[in-house]
Amino acid sequence: RVLFRSMMLRIPIEMQPLAYEMESAVVVEWLVELGAQVIKGDPLVVVETEKAQVEMEALDTGVLVEVVSVPGDEVPVGEPIGYLEQDG
């Protein structure tokens, strides 16, 4: 007998290129708590580029399950700063 078990899909939250030729940004503040539901388009984290502080929006919907980068961390574009989980 096989029991149905939903699979959780783990999605990386990557540092987005928020400015032309941006190579990295510094995490300033997370705007959501671990375990919180995030909807695509929600403000997720504040990051600082060379020119400004910018709110980075969620590109996916899910639950914030892990924060990899904390305030003060400089993160290259494309590197994960956290992870969402979705029902798969």
Side-chain angles (χ1 to χ4, degrees):
R1 182 175 176 169
V2 177
L3 297 175
F4 175 76
R5 185 178 146 199
S6 71
M7 298 291 290
M8 297 302 284
L9 182 61
R10 193 168 171 92
I11 301 167
I13 302 165
E14 296 177 350
M15 179 61 74
Q16 301 166 22
L18 302 169
Y20 183 70
E21 293 187 7
M22 180 180 127
E23 294 180 8
S24 65
V26 175
V27 174
V28 174
E29 174 187 12
W30 281 91
L31 301 175
V32 296
E33 299 285 326
L34 280 175
Q37 177 72 36
V38 176
I39 308 285
K40 182 178 180 178
D42 282 352
L44 189 61
V45 63
V46 176
V47 298
E48 186 170 7
T49 67
E50 290 182 6
K51 298 184 180 185
Q53 287 190 359
V54 181
E55 287 184 353
M56 196 171 88
E57 295 180 353
L59 298 180
D60 294 288
T61 297
V63 175
L64 182 63
V65 294
E66 184 179 353
V67 169
V68 176
S69 299
V70 297
D73 287 351
E74 184 170 355
V75 183
V77 168
E79 290 295 313
I81 61 170
Y83 290 89
L84 297 177
E85 276 190 357
Q86 296 177 333
D87 285 332

